Amino acid sequence: MRTGLIPGSFDPLHNGHLGVIEMASRLFERVVVAAVRNPGKEPLFTLEERQEMLEESLAHLDNVETTSFSGLVVDLAAEVDATAIVKGLRAVSDLENELQMAQMNRAMSGIDTILIPTTSTSSYIASKYVKDFARGGRDVSDMVPEPVAKRIREKFAK
């Protein structure tokens, strides 16, 4: 069975992520979306909250399952028997980092990476900016799935 692994911080999941996940769900028989702990980032939501938001936001995709993980993505790929790692690209600036990581993952584990561009309507969305605008009291509900928008409203309720 062809399995795509989509790792990310997903802090929070936004519509750009959602588009990549939906496309991967059409390309793979099984897709595992993993909220990964990134020690270099201070998260807005806990790993458990991020996984819950993934589950709620991806419930419409029958061949998608979610998990959370702390560690190397290549280890998770082996654990879920992934055929490929799937990553989204917003802009050319994402390519350099993702290409280097794809080459490193291939060298260390033999797993391939597939890079999927986001749609032009969501290519400007980044979790960092969603968080910044939400902290500033702005409505970001058009940039995130409804379950995520609900959690953001709760987090920043005054």
Side-chain angles (χ1 to χ4, degrees):
M1 175 182 295
R2 291 176 302 140
T3 300
L5 170 63
I6 306 178
S9 297
F10 302 116
D11 186 38
L13 175 74
H14 57 67
N15 291 339
H17 295 134
L18 185 59
V20 169
I21 294 164
E22 288 175 339
M23 185 178 293
S25 76
R26 294 188 298 273
L27 297 173
F28 291 90
E29 295 160 308
R30 175 177 169 243
V31 174
V32 178
V33 180
V36 178
R37 185 178 317 274
N38 184 336
K41 293 182 180 178
E42 181 66 33
L44 177 62
F45 293 100
T46 67
L47 199 55
E48 295 75 23
E49 289 172 319
R50 287 182 270 151
Q51 185 177 352
E52 289 170 5
M53 288 186 286
L54 285 171
E55 289 171 5
E56 295 165 7
S57 301
L58 303 175
H60 66 288
L61 300 170
D62 293 336
N63 64 333
V64 174
E65 54 194 77
T66 66
T67 190
S68 57
F69 188 73
S70 295
L72 295 174
V73 170
V74 293
D75 293 338
L76 178 59
E79 184 180 313
V80 300
D81 200 27
T83 310
I85 295 170
V86 178
K87 298 292 291 204
L89 295 176
R90 287 183 308 246
V92 174
S93 56
D94 290 342
L95 181 60
E96 186 174 334
N97 183 53
E98 295 299 347
L99 182 60
Q100 187 175 22
M101 184 57 64
Q103 292 167 336
M104 186 69 166
N105 287 341
R106 178 108 167 89
M108 298 304 294
S109 70
I111 192 159
D112 291 315
T113 299
I114 295 175
L115 303 174
I116 296 178
T118 61
T119 63
S120 59
T121 57
S122 61
S123 62
Y124 67 95
I125 304 172
S127 295
K128 175 189 182 319
Y129 302 130
V130 169
K131 289 186 284 195
D132 288 347
F133 277 87
R135 280 186 187 107
R138 298 299 181 112
D139 179 15
V140 295
S141 59
D142 62 338
M143 297 179 206
V144 298
E146 179 50 36
V148 177
K150 179 178 180 270
R151 297 276 181 111
I152 288 173
R153 285 190 297 271
E154 291 169 356
K155 182 140 319 245
F156 294 107
K158 296 187 174 158

